[in-house]
């Protein structure tokens, strides 16, 4: 007897036609935002790539448009936004009983007056939203259409976003507008022809576009609304709307770094592979300023690294540079906790840090130390024996700078680092240690990918401590950097 065999697969065996070797992705929705600044003062171009579930396919072209905003204005707004975040750290309440700079003295702000914290966070969200709006502002039809697609995607909560940009922006600090839901994406027009009357006027039907909320209500992972809900009913009011009703979760969820997994691309092709440390105990190093050892919970970070990895500790630049000069630098994780700064000389700016000694370590010094090994490996086509995930818990180590040899993260990634996590501004020492402890626990103990560990850490500080400062840490590459799960005990059986 004939039977109908179901032909609908339960799994996507082709993985979305992904090319091999593929990224060890753990999240389903990818979006790439590319921003290019042409030489000679031409108009910048923005382009988007993503899965069809995130970004509708165009029949005639890829998604790109010329930006109409003045890049000088965007840079000015970026500097002002970072200054606002510094002001948040340095906030001084009028009440003397609050103490000196309470936001810089403790990591847990849950004991602060709710209206006070809420108004400060609302101000930061408005600044991040304003920068995003100005970046995408314009009336060209192509730009309007691209902006509609991008904003609809950003209002989701399930994206892995790579920003491949010539313009150095603090992407996690950008935010959505609390009061403006996205414009629904124009649905495709489906034209049906009657085959028996080919010359009759076609009947055109329009597919119904799903209503997309701003992500503060509805389904937690997609941001879509139930049929009876409306976007206006779930806006995130600022401090002037409901001063006595703190709504911090809604405000935190406006920030891109709270909603999505985010990485900034480095612009280098040096590591076209995904390295996963697959050994019983990962190898790590703690590169620290010994004078900061009295910071609360520093000993716990050191113990975590010592318990979970084969740990090497360095406190002076001589030891660090000597090890970097070796051909085989086989560390899976490099952790830095020391002082950093942005140094200016004329029109040039660059990042630098100091360990216990007075010597400044900058990108040029790292590059000159490792260049010969990187180039030798490239000529031989061999595996680059420099592949750490780097955590630069160093002030300004992720701040915008100019020039190829200005960025610490860019230099490390050029020579093989899997990714670099660094803050955009100066970090209070107390918060920096707390952030490192939470992130490293997710990365080392739970073996989460770096991008997931960063997002989870940001969300934890927002929910538990009412503190937005986790957002100041930006990930350059390394979204999928991870350690292999520990091998099961011998003789253990699967559950």
């Amino acid at each position: 007897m004939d039977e109908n065999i179901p032909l609908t697969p339960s799994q996507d065996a082709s993985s979305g036609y992904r090319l091999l070797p593929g990224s060890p992705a753990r999240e389903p929705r990818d979006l790439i935002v590319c921003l290019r600044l042409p030489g000679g003062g031409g108009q910048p171009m923005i382009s988007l790539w993503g899965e069809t579930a995130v970004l509708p396919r165009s029949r005639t072209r890829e998604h790109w448009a010329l930006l109409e905003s003045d890049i000088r204005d965007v840079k000015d707004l970026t500097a002002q936004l970072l200054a606002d975040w510094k002001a948040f750290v340095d906030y001084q309440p009028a009440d003397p009983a609050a103490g000196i700079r309470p936001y810089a003295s403790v990591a847990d702000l849950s004991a602060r007056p709710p209206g006070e914290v809420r108004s400060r966070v609302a101000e930061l969200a408005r600044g991040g939203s304003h920068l995003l709006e100005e970046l995408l502002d314009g009336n060209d039809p192509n730009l309007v259409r691209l902006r509609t697609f991008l904003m609809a995607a950003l209002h989701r909560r399930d994206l892995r976003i790579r920003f491949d940009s010539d313009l150095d922006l603090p992407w996690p600090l950008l935010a959505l507008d609390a009061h403006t839901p996205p414009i629904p994406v124009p649905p495709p027009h489906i034209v049906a022809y009657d085959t028996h009357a080919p010359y009759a006027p076609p009947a055109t039907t329009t597919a119904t576009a799903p209503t997309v909320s701003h992500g503060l209500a509805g389904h937690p992972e997609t941001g879509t609304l139930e049929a009876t809900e409306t976007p206006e009913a779930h806006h995130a009011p600022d401090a002037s709307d409901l001063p006595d009703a703190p709504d911090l979760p809604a405000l935190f969820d406006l920030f891109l770094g709270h909603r999505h997994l985010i990485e900034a691309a480095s612009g280098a092709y040096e590591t076209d592979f995904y390295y996963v440390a697959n050994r019983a105990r990962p190898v790590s190093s703690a590169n620290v300023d010994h004078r900061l050892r009295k910071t609360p919970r520093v000993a716990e970070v050191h113990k975590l690294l010592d318990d979970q990895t084969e740990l090497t500790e360095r406190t002076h630049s001589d030891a660090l540079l000597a090890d970097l000069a070796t051909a085989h630098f086989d560390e899976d994780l490099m952790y830095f906790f020391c002082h950093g700064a942005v140094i200016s000389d004329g029109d040039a700016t660059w990042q630098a840090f100091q360990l216990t000694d007075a010597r400044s370590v900058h990108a040029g010094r790292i590059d000159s130390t490792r260049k010969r090994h990187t180039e030798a490996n490239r000529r031989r086509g061999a595996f680059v024996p420099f592949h750490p995930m780097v955590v630069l818990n160093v002030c300004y180590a992720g701040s915008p700078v100019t020039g190829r040899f200005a960025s610490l993260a860019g230099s490390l990634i050029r020579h093989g680092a899997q990714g670099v996590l660094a803050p955009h501004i100066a970090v209070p020492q107390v918060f920096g240690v707390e952030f490192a402890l939470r992130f490293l626990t997710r990365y080392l103990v739970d073996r989460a990918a770096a991008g997931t560990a960063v997002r989870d850490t940001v969300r934890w500080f927002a929910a538990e401590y009412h503190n937005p400062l986790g957002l100041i840490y930006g990930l350059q590459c390394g979204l999928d950097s991870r350690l292999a799960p520990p091998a099961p005990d011998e003789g253990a059986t699967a559950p």
Side-chain angles (χ1 to χ4, degrees):
M1 181 177 179
D2 295 338
E3 293 184 7
N4 292 326
I5 302 175
L7 299 179
T8 302
S10 58
Q11 296 179 339
D12 179 12
S14 67
S15 297
Y17 300 101
R18 186 170 59 224
L19 296 177
L20 297 177
S23 159
R26 290 294 180 268
E27 296 285 341
R29 304 301 184 209
D30 285 291
L31 176 66
I32 299 174
V33 181
C34 184
L35 199 157
R36 290 289 170 257
L37 302 180
Q43 281 183 278
M45 186 182 77
I46 184 171
S47 53
L48 308 177
W49 290 272
E51 302 177 28
T52 54
V54 176
L55 194 63
R57 287 285 183 261
S58 172
R59 184 179 63 85
T60 56
R61 55 174 283 170
E62 296 299 325
H63 295 290
W64 66 271
L66 297 177
L67 292 177
E68 298 180 10
S69 55
D70 191 322
I71 294 303
R72 293 170 298 182
D73 294 340
V74 173
K75 291 181 178 180
D76 289 343
L77 286 175
T78 300
Q80 292 168 18
L81 178 62
L82 294 178
D84 289 343
W85 280 84
K86 296 174 191 175
F88 177 89
V89 173
D90 295 330
Y91 173 68
Q92 183 59 53
D95 184 5
I100 306 296
R101 299 173 68 224
Y103 290 10
S105 304
V106 295
D108 188 356
L109 303 182
S110 60
R112 299 296 307 164
E116 172 193 287
V117 177
R118 187 168 176 269
S119 63
R120 305 277 82 76
V121 175
E123 183 178 12
L124 296 175
R126 284 194 296 270
S129 173
H130 183 52
L131 175 55
L132 182 59
E133 290 173 0
E134 290 298 315
L135 176 66
L136 301 175
D137 189 35
N139 299 315
D140 179 79
N142 289 328
L143 179 58
V144 171
R145 186 173 176 85
L146 181 142
R147 182 172 63 232
T148 300
F149 288 137
L150 177 57
M151 296 307 295
L154 294 180
H155 277 76
R156 303 172 64 101
R157 298 188 78 251
D158 62 343
L159 296 184
R160 294 160 30 91
I161 308 177
R162 165 175 283 190
F163 289 99
D164 188 351
S165 174
D166 293 339
L167 184 62
D168 195 357
L169 295 179
W171 300 107
L173 305 183
L174 272 58
L176 304 175
D177 188 345
H179 301 285
T180 305
I183 301 173
V185 173
H189 293 284
I190 303 173
V191 181
Y193 290 93
D194 186 349
T195 57
H196 298 289
Y199 299 106
T204 302
T205 59
T206 303
T208 302
T211 303
V212 183
S213 79
H214 48 65
L216 303 183
H219 300 296
E221 292 306 315
T222 63
T224 57
L225 291 174
E226 299 292 348
T228 58
E229 296 176 318
T230 59
E232 290 77 7
H234 297 278
H235 77 281
D238 62 20
S240 62
D241 290 328
L242 296 173
D244 298 326
D247 195 11
L248 278 174
L251 287 173
F252 284 128
D253 206 43
L254 296 174
F255 292 98
L256 301 189
H258 188 277
R259 300 178 75 89
H260 305 294
L261 306 176
I262 292 179
E263 71 172 357
S266 71
Y269 277 111
E270 306 307 327
T271 54
D272 284 335
F273 59 85
Y274 289 88
Y275 174 82
V276 178
N278 189 15
R279 39 189 161 197
R281 283 176 63 83
V283 177
S284 76
S285 64
N287 307 274
V288 299
D289 184 343
H290 194 59
R291 293 166 294 185
L292 302 180
R293 66 187 183 280
K294 294 183 180 180
T295 305
R297 308 198 74 178
V298 161
E300 294 180 51
V301 175
H302 188 279
K303 184 177 185 303
L304 175 65
L305 291 169
D306 196 31
D307 289 345
Q308 298 294 323
T309 68
E310 295 294 334
L311 178 64
T312 298
E313 184 174 3
R314 306 184 187 95
T315 58
H316 288 73
S317 60
D318 287 341
L320 172 63
L321 295 173
D323 287 346
L324 286 174
T326 60
H328 196 76
F329 189 94
D330 192 17
E331 292 185 4
D332 304 310
L333 173 69
M334 295 182 73
Y335 173 70
F336 290 80
F337 183 56
C338 54
H339 291 295
V342 173
I343 302 175
S344 299
D345 188 354
D347 294 334
T349 61
W350 63 90
Q351 303 157 353
F353 65 83
Q354 291 181 342
L355 299 181
T356 308
D357 57 305
R359 175 193 282 177
S360 292
V361 178
H362 47 72
R365 187 158 278 153
I366 293 173
D367 192 77
S368 64
T369 302
R370 286 221 54 89
K371 182 176 181 180
R372 62 191 179 96
H373 302 307
T374 302
E375 290 189 346
N377 282 315
R378 189 185 301 115
R379 287 194 299 269
R380 294 196 300 265
F383 175 74
V384 179
F386 182 82
H387 46 73
M389 174 65 200
V390 182
V391 180
L392 285 174
N393 209 356
V394 178
C395 293
Y396 301 106
S399 62
V401 287
T402 60
R404 184 175 180 228
F405 298 106
S407 169
L408 290 167
S411 178
L412 290 165
I413 291 171
R414 254 195 320 274
H415 294 287
Q418 291 295 288
V420 177
L421 179 63
H424 294 290
I425 62 172
V427 187
Q429 295 175 14
V430 172
F431 181 85
V433 175
E434 293 267 7
F435 183 92
L437 190 59
R438 176 66 51 175
F439 169 80
L440 291 174
T441 298
R442 289 287 288 130
Y443 189 73
L444 292 175
V445 179
D446 302 335
R447 300 299 171 96
T452 302
V454 173
R455 183 199 59 188
D456 291 351
T457 302
V458 168
R459 290 181 175 179
W460 189 91
F461 276 101
E464 301 297 328
Y465 282 4
H466 297 180
N467 196 329
L469 287 180
L471 290 162
I472 67 176
Y473 285 84
L475 187 63
Q476 186 160 331
C477 299
L479 192 66
D480 296 314
S481 175
R482 71 185 192 275
L483 305 175
D489 295 336
E490 186 175 354
T493 58

